Amino acid sequence: MATMAAQREALRRLRERLATISDLSAAGAVLAWDQQTFMPGGGIKQRAEQLATLSRLSHEMLVSVETGRLLDAAGEPEPGTVEHALLRVARREYERATRVPADLVADLSRAASVGQQAWERARAASDWEGLAPYLKELLDLQRRTAEHLGYEDHPYDALLDIYEPGARKARLEGVFAKLKAALVPMTKRLPLEENRSKPLFGDFEEARQEEFGRTVITAFGYDWAHGRQDRAAHPFCISLGGPADVRITTRFDPGWLSPALFATFHEAGHAIYEQGVDPAHARTPLAGGASMGLHESQSRLWENLVGRSRAFWEHYYPELQRTFPEALGGVDPEDFYRAVNEAKPSPIRVDADELTYNLHILIRFELEVAMLEGALSVEELPPAWNEKTEEYLGLVPGSAATGVLQDVHWAAGLFGYFPTYALGNVLSVQLFERAVEEQTEIPQEIRSGEFGTLLGWLREKVHRHGKRYDPDDLVERATGRPLEPEPYLRYLREKFGELYALG
Amino acid sequence: MATMAAQREALRRLRERLATISDLSAAGAVLAWDQQTFMPGGGIKQRAEQLATLSRLSHEMLVSVETGRLLDAAGEPEPGTVEHALLRVARREYERATRVPADLVADLSRAASVGQQAWERARAASDWEGLAPYLKELLDLQRRTAEHLGYEDHPYDALLDIYEPGARKARLEGVFAKLKAALVPMTKRLPLEENRSKPLFGDFEEARQEEFGRTVITAFGYDWAHGRQDRAAHPFCISLGGPADVRITTRFDPGWLSPALFATFHEAGHAIYEQGVDPAHARTPLAGGASMGLHESQSRLWENLVGRSRAFWEHYYPELQRTFPEALGGVDPEDFYRAVNEAKPSPIRVDADELTYNLHILIRFELEVAMLEGALSVEELPPAWNEKTEEYLGLVPGSAATGVLQDVHWAAGLFGYFPTYALGNVLSVQLFERAVEEQTEIPQEIRSGEFGTLLGWLREKVHRHGKRYDPDDLVERATGRPLEPEPYLRYLREKFGELYALG
């Protein structure tokens, strides 16, 4: 009995400590949000110091002897309970944070910050040599980090696990091989001359774009009492401490409808996930999405499965036409549907359509694995990039800026992150199809601009759990199956088979 | 030598520690700013927890044994050096924070939070009894705080010193007696029937008000690369960690020109002070204004000495007329000048003009001193309030809401704060007159809409020093004289003597 009381007391004190750590992270999130939305330019250096202090304090508190002692003293709650899950996640975070020496953490943080600046300059000048030395250092630091974190089969697993707990390179390769086998041939058969996206270019007043986007995401279920939308150079979603305040940003192009529109759906998808996490998990390690892949599954579900579907536009296209009568009054619904679903190989990942997007991820995955295990040197990266792009997408990037330099991830020290985008795509369909199987009224509701049943299913099966279940567990519970690419491939074959007569 | 090296090392480590404390406060400021400008309503509870965590962590770090040890070990740098000033201020903050027991700090913080909520309800219902019990508790907690802080002559000094280092009740009484002797008779002679402020009411589109205000404060010297202006329920100025990011807020009334206009000048005055502090003081206890009184001197200087002067409007009134041709096209400059300088007793402090404003402060000062020393009970406060208002302003408030319940300060635990408003008024003229004596071109520049010489003088004599000098010292250095009410009274007599033929 004395032991149980001591364990309960340790757990109580651990929760307090974790709440403080969570508050420090939340404060960092507010500062980061402000920096990207409203902060005056002159505040940048001072803000960097403030963010560094907050992150140092929360890291120190996490890796402290006291946290370790409380984690040990909290015992082993009954499996299946929230406490059990909380300790699982807290111990994993503690382990991960304590295994990497403080010096290496600091070196990596500095190198990532410097690397991002170098990347901005290098990309602007399309100057690969401007980035290469930074990338070399980052790769070396990431290799060392992986060794400290530990792994069973491959160093890549150590990094991948940060973003996607439980995921392993070997399993990914199995999934990705199936994607590749199906998608490369389909992509090669796409017509290159067609230009279906023309209706999306024209005169689209920003304020009306914003208003229409808000109308849609409000219908999706984005809760404005617990969020807001602002403008930023890059669209993002950020939780400011829990489901009570989850904000999104968008960037508008008055001459091109789709970027802001689909970015709004996409970021709202992330935000709806965060807003739906059980508030009881707030200020604990169970707060937030289960993994980057599951997060991406929610953004892609609303962006693509809903937002690029015929059912959705059956309801919303007339409203969009009323919003932009001059630009769209003469465009018929089918042409608009084909415009937002144009599939065409592009060198740029962020411009890629549903069909070709994952090929961009495969390229990056294979290259970063090869770099990490030493099979590919940083010097060999640019030609390897171009070769793979030609092999998968049938084109060669015109410049380093539109090729190997296009993404910030590696320059920011993010190795093992790219696959989560592909997992998100795969999971978005697996989850959506299961929701429709269980709630067959969903397609008809979408055709009526109603999303309550779909949202309810996602809330129940995915959102509310936060990090209570690891991704594999959560997917199995939600869909009755492990993660599998077949529903996703079936969906793409059907949709693009019809759109491009690829069947 | 060993000792000096040890002292330098202690000072270096102390600076690091104080920088961390400053970063935590800065993060709190960002969260507070966000809460009052952009935060969605549903975020309020979560934000309160985050703010409480940040303030607890910075308090714990300040009162820690390690901070005490470093303060002891840092020795006694040569008087006159920045290090000497830094230790003076750091030791004072440490003393103040450690003298009050943690329980009492927590009780006061809770009571102040509850008190503000009670005040909002009580004022809305004009229900004195709704506030009285909370005020009793707060008064008791403030008495105990004063005993812990310690004082030589009077418990009021202990509280006053928090906001105005070095100020003492006895000296204030001397200054305030002179204000009272001069201002009460002048106020009694004001005409009550006249309505000179009519031109300020009409149709004043918010966006144009905002644009005009921005034009003026840009000319004053407000630096938009290190600040921004947003809308909030109550205008305020807040530094987000140092001179690099100092923001203001304003509230606009489309039917009444003056509130937003003069609030903008006022808050910009505060912000220009903060933006002018030597960046070398950032992240140290020398950052920010020297005292609340000196801060208010800067806001009042730009609001009143500049912003309500004939010289200023000679330049800006034509531009204001062009901004609002319909509302002001037919109002001649002299009538506009008389409108923005209308003096008329009002029960409400925040609506008071330059002439009667300080009488509101005298009422509060005398009442809070009497309550603190036990000469006046909380029950006796409402009749005492009305008596003093009648005695000084010649009127009796129509309700508790427009009388004893009008200000939040006491309900928020702020006793000893009100006098800093009067000190600010007094100092604004003492500083402005000295600036004009030394730089005689200032009035002519103001007539041309130029403020560089005035700003330069304030930067040099006041702003850049931050908290390096205590208020008495700073005023003596800037003006060659101790704080004195004579310039202020001379200014009021001259200005309102002419406006109302009171001479």
Side-chain angles (χ1 to χ4, degrees):
Chain A
M1 288 302 281
T3 310
M4 278 187 61
Q7 287 180 349
R8 268 201 306 275
E9 175 59 13
L11 189 58
R12 190 190 64 74
R13 289 178 52 200
L14 180 67
R15 276 179 174 276
E16 275 184 12
R17 209 168 170 78
L18 296 171
T20 297
I21 292 171
S22 160
D23 286 341
L24 285 170
S25 303
V30 180
L31 269 62
W33 169 85
D34 176 70
Q35 178 172 330
Q36 293 175 78
T37 50
F38 293 115
M39 190 183 77
I44 186 75
K45 266 183 69 179
Q46 163 178 305
R47 181 57 51 85
E49 286 166 339
Q50 293 158 1
L51 283 166
T53 293
L54 291 173
S55 107
R56 178 173 55 81
L57 291 178
S58 71
H59 181 79
E60 282 173 7
M61 200 168 279
L62 176 60
V63 302
S64 66
V65 174
E66 176 66 4
T67 302
R69 207 192 57 72
L70 292 172
L71 284 168
D72 284 344
E76 206 53 62
E78 206 180 318
T81 60
V82 170
E83 288 68 28
H84 189 270
L86 186 144
L87 282 172
R88 182 192 83 242
V89 177
R91 283 171 180 152
R92 183 164 63 208
E93 287 184 8
Y94 172 79
E95 286 293 318
R96 195 174 276 150
T98 49
R99 280 183 185 171
V100 185
D103 283 359
L104 182 51
V105 172
D107 286 350
L108 191 54
S109 161
R110 239 188 318 270
S113 167
V114 173
Q116 286 178 73
Q117 289 166 29
W119 171 79
E120 285 193 17
R121 288 191 304 268
R123 190 178 66 155
S126 197
D127 168 29
W128 162 253
E129 298 302 329
L131 181 66
Y134 298 95
L135 207 51
K136 255 182 245 176
E137 192 197 348
L138 279 159
L139 180 62
D140 177 57
L141 292 167
Q142 287 290 29
R143 276 205 199 104
R144 286 165 52 203
T145 301
E147 293 306 319
H148 283 288
L149 288 171
Y151 51 86
E152 284 181 21
D153 291 334
H154 195 280
Y156 191 79
D157 290 342
L159 303 176
L160 180 60
D161 196 79
I162 299 172
Y163 312 107
E164 202 63 28
R168 295 293 172 263
K169 168 180 162 285
R171 267 183 60 213
L172 280 186
E173 286 172 336
V175 173
F176 288 179
K178 292 181 184 169
L179 297 184
K180 186 169 154 182
L183 299 180
V184 172
M186 281 174 78
T187 299
K188 296 262 158 85
R189 293 176 53 206
L190 288 171
L192 294 177
E193 329 62 46
E194 275 191 332
N195 180 8
R196 297 185 178 185
S197 62
K198 200 159 165 284
L200 304 173
F201 295 85
D203 192 5
F204 297 98
E205 193 202 333
E206 292 195 26
R208 289 191 206 175
Q209 285 193 46
E210 191 175 359
E211 180 59 29
F212 180 80
R214 282 171 188 255
T215 303
V216 173
I217 65 175
T218 304
F220 284 174
Y222 182 70
D223 173 3
W224 299 93
H226 298 98
R228 49 179 290 122
Q229 182 185 32
D230 297 286
R231 293 167 190 228
H234 301 282
F236 62 92
C237 164
I238 190 166
S239 161
L240 272 50
D245 190 353
V246 186
R247 308 187 187 179
I248 59 173
T249 66
T250 312
R251 181 179 49 177
F252 294 89
D253 181 338
W256 189 12
L257 180 65
S258 45
L261 188 63
F262 291 103
T264 299
F265 297 176
H266 182 97
E267 301 308 333
H270 283 301
I272 285 167
Y273 187 1
E274 292 278 336
Q275 287 183 334
V277 175
D278 186 341
H281 294 333
R283 304 177 83 216
T284 82
L286 299 182
S291 69
M292 298 309 296
L294 271 155
H295 236 301
E296 193 73 5
S297 80
Q298 298 306 291
S299 56
R300 295 301 243 176
L301 188 150
W302 292 101
E303 178 192 356
N304 290 336
L305 280 288
V306 176
R308 293 186 203 264
S309 70
R310 270 211 180 80
F312 172 83
W313 287 112
E314 259 183 49
H315 179 82
Y316 275 106
Y317 188 60
E319 181 160 343
L320 189 68
Q321 284 185 308
R322 283 193 296 276
T323 307
F324 300 109
E326 300 200 352
L328 295 176
V331 177
D332 88 31
E334 186 59 22
D335 285 342
F336 184 79
Y337 173 71
R338 291 159 72 92
V340 299
N341 285 296
E342 184 181 50
K344 189 181 261 183
S346 148
I348 307 289
R349 176 182 62 88
V350 298
D351 293 344
D353 52 84
E354 278 185 272
L355 185 64
T356 60
Y357 188 94
N358 283 327
L359 298 176
H360 292 271
I361 302 305
L362 299 199
I363 293 167
R364 286 151 182 78
F365 167 71
E366 293 171 10
L367 292 173
E368 66 183 10
V369 168
M371 282 195 287
L372 203 70
E373 63 189 25
L376 183 75
S377 72
V378 167
E379 285 82 1
E380 296 166 322
L381 180 60
W385 180 285
N386 289 351
E387 265 168 50
K388 278 204 189 290
T389 307
E390 181 153 31
E391 182 189 344
Y392 293 178
L393 291 163
L395 52 82
V396 176
S399 68
T402 57
V404 67
L405 286 176
Q406 70 183 272
D407 289 315
V408 72
H409 301 61
W410 292 334
L414 298 172
F415 287 73
Y417 186 104
F418 279 120
T420 67
Y421 292 120
L423 292 176
N425 288 329
V426 167
L427 284 170
S428 69
V429 178
Q430 190 171 341
L431 289 164
F432 185 77
E433 290 205 347
R434 182 66 183 187
V436 174
E437 267 169 49
E438 292 188 10
Q439 308 277 345
T440 51
E441 68 273 38
I442 287 174
Q444 185 50 47
E445 284 191 6
I446 294 177
R447 253 185 293 276
S448 315
E450 283 167 28
F451 309 94
T453 304
L454 174 59
L455 178 64
W457 190 92
L458 293 168
R459 284 267 186 268
E460 172 67 19
K461 302 288 184 177
V462 181
H463 301 174
R464 68 189 175 97
H465 302 301
K467 293 186 170 63
R468 178 163 179 184
Y469 305 111
D470 273 343
D472 287 338
D473 196 4
L474 185 68
V475 170
E476 183 97 34
R477 282 169 171 271
T479 69
R481 307 273 307 167
L483 176 143
E484 52 189 7
E486 286 73 15
Y488 178 59
L489 289 173
R490 207 163 47 226
Y491 160 78
L492 289 180
R493 275 198 204 97
E494 193 175 321
K495 179 169 183 174
F496 291 92
E498 186 241 10
L499 276 162
Y500 285 97
L502 304 176
Chain B
M1 289 304 281
T3 310
M4 278 187 59
Q7 287 180 349
R8 270 201 306 274
E9 175 60 12
L11 189 59
R12 189 191 64 76
R13 289 178 51 199
L14 180 67
R15 276 179 174 277
E16 274 183 13
R17 209 169 171 77
L18 296 171
T20 297
I21 293 172
S22 161
D23 287 341
L24 285 169
S25 303
V30 180
L31 270 61
W33 170 84
D34 176 69
Q35 180 171 330
Q36 293 175 76
T37 50
F38 293 115
M39 191 183 76
I44 185 75
K45 267 184 68 179
Q46 163 177 306
R47 182 56 52 86
E49 286 166 339
Q50 293 159 359
L51 284 166
T53 293
L54 291 174
S55 110
R56 177 173 57 79
L57 290 179
S58 71
H59 182 79
E60 282 174 6
M61 198 167 280
L62 176 60
V63 302
S64 67
V65 174
E66 177 65 5
T67 303
R69 206 191 61 70
L70 292 172
L71 284 168
D72 285 344
E76 204 58 58
E78 207 179 321
T81 61
V82 169
E83 288 69 26
H84 188 269
L86 185 144
L87 282 171
R88 183 192 84 243
V89 176
R91 283 172 179 151
R92 184 163 64 207
E93 286 182 10
Y94 173 79
E95 286 293 319
R96 196 174 276 149
T98 50
R99 279 183 185 170
V100 185
D103 283 358
L104 182 51
V105 172
D107 286 350
L108 192 55
S109 160
R110 239 188 317 271
S113 166
V114 174
Q116 287 177 74
Q117 290 167 28
W119 171 79
E120 286 194 16
R121 290 191 304 268
R123 190 177 68 153
S126 198
D127 167 29
W128 162 251
E129 298 302 331
L131 181 65
Y134 298 95
L135 208 51
K136 255 181 245 177
E137 191 196 349
L138 279 159
L139 180 62
D140 177 57
L141 292 167
Q142 287 289 31
R143 277 205 198 102
R144 287 165 52 201
T145 301
E147 294 305 320
H148 283 289
L149 288 172
Y151 51 87
E152 283 182 21
D153 290 334
H154 196 279
Y156 191 80
D157 291 342
L159 304 177
L160 180 60
D161 196 79
I162 298 172
Y163 312 108
E164 203 62 29
R168 295 293 172 263
K169 168 181 161 285
R171 267 181 61 211
L172 280 187
E173 285 172 335
V175 173
F176 287 179
K178 291 182 184 169
L179 297 184
K180 184 171 157 183
L183 300 179
V184 172
M186 283 174 78
T187 298
K188 296 264 156 84
R189 294 175 54 204
L190 289 170
L192 294 177
E193 326 66 45
E194 276 191 334
N195 180 7
R196 297 184 178 186
S197 62
K198 202 161 164 288
L200 304 174
F201 294 85
D203 192 6
F204 297 99
E205 193 202 332
E206 293 194 24
R208 289 192 207 173
Q209 285 192 47
E210 191 175 358
E211 181 57 30
F212 180 81
R214 281 171 188 254
T215 304
V216 172
I217 65 176
T218 304
F220 284 173
Y222 181 70
D223 173 3
W224 298 93
H226 297 98
R228 49 180 289 121
Q229 182 184 33
D230 296 287
R231 292 167 190 228
H234 302 283
F236 63 91
C237 164
I238 190 165
S239 162
L240 270 50
D245 191 353
V246 186
R247 307 185 188 179
I248 59 174
T249 67
T250 312
R251 183 180 47 179
F252 294 89
D253 182 339
W256 188 12
L257 180 64
S258 46
L261 187 63
F262 292 104
T264 298
F265 298 177
H266 183 97
E267 301 307 335
H270 282 302
I272 287 167
Y273 187 0
E274 293 278 337
Q275 288 183 333
V277 176
D278 186 340
H281 294 333
R283 304 177 85 219
T284 82
L286 300 182
S291 70
M292 300 306 297
L294 272 153
H295 236 301
E296 193 73 5
S297 80
Q298 298 307 292
S299 56
R300 295 301 243 174
L301 187 151
W302 293 102
E303 177 192 356
N304 291 335
L305 280 289
V306 175
R308 294 187 203 264
S309 70
R310 269 210 180 80
F312 173 82
W313 287 112
E314 261 184 47
H315 179 81
Y316 274 106
Y317 188 60
E319 179 160 347
L320 188 68
Q321 282 185 309
R322 283 192 297 274
T323 307
F324 299 109
E326 299 200 352
L328 295 176
V331 177
D332 87 31
E334 185 59 21
D335 285 342
F336 184 80
Y337 173 70
R338 290 158 74 92
V340 299
N341 285 294
E342 183 180 52
K344 189 183 262 182
S346 148
I348 308 289
R349 176 181 63 87
V350 298
D351 293 343
D353 53 81
E354 278 186 271
L355 185 63
T356 61
Y357 188 93
N358 283 326
L359 299 176
H360 292 271
I361 300 306
L362 299 199
I363 293 167
R364 287 152 181 77
F365 168 70
E366 291 170 10
L367 293 172
E368 67 183 10
V369 167
M371 283 195 288
L372 202 70
E373 64 190 22
L376 183 76
S377 72
V378 167
E379 285 83 2
E380 295 166 322
L381 181 59
W385 179 286
N386 289 351
E387 266 168 49
K388 277 205 191 286
T389 306
E390 179 152 32
E391 183 188 343
Y392 293 179
L393 291 162
L395 54 82
V396 176
S399 68
T402 56
V404 66
L405 286 176
Q406 70 181 269
D407 290 316
V408 73
H409 301 60
W410 292 333
L414 297 172
F415 288 73
Y417 186 104
F418 280 119
T420 68
Y421 292 120
L423 291 176
N425 289 328
V426 167
L427 284 171
S428 68
V429 178
Q430 188 171 340
L431 288 164
F432 185 77
E433 290 204 344
R434 181 66 183 189
V436 173
E437 269 169 48
E438 292 188 8
Q439 308 278 346
T440 51
E441 67 274 37
I442 287 175
Q444 185 49 48
E445 284 190 6
I446 294 178
R447 250 186 294 277
S448 316
E450 284 169 26
F451 309 93
T453 304
L454 174 59
L455 179 64
W457 190 92
L458 293 168
R459 285 267 186 266
E460 171 69 20
K461 302 288 183 175
V462 180
H463 301 173
R464 69 189 174 96
H465 302 302
K467 291 187 172 59
R468 177 163 179 185
Y469 305 111
D470 273 344
D472 288 338
D473 195 4
L474 185 67
V475 170
E476 183 99 35
R477 282 170 171 270
T479 69
R481 308 273 306 165
L483 175 143
E484 52 189 7
E486 285 75 14
Y488 179 58
L489 289 173
R490 207 161 51 226
Y491 160 78
L492 289 180
R493 277 200 202 92
E494 194 176 318
K495 177 169 186 174
F496 291 91
E498 187 241 9
L499 276 163
Y500 285 97
L502 304 176

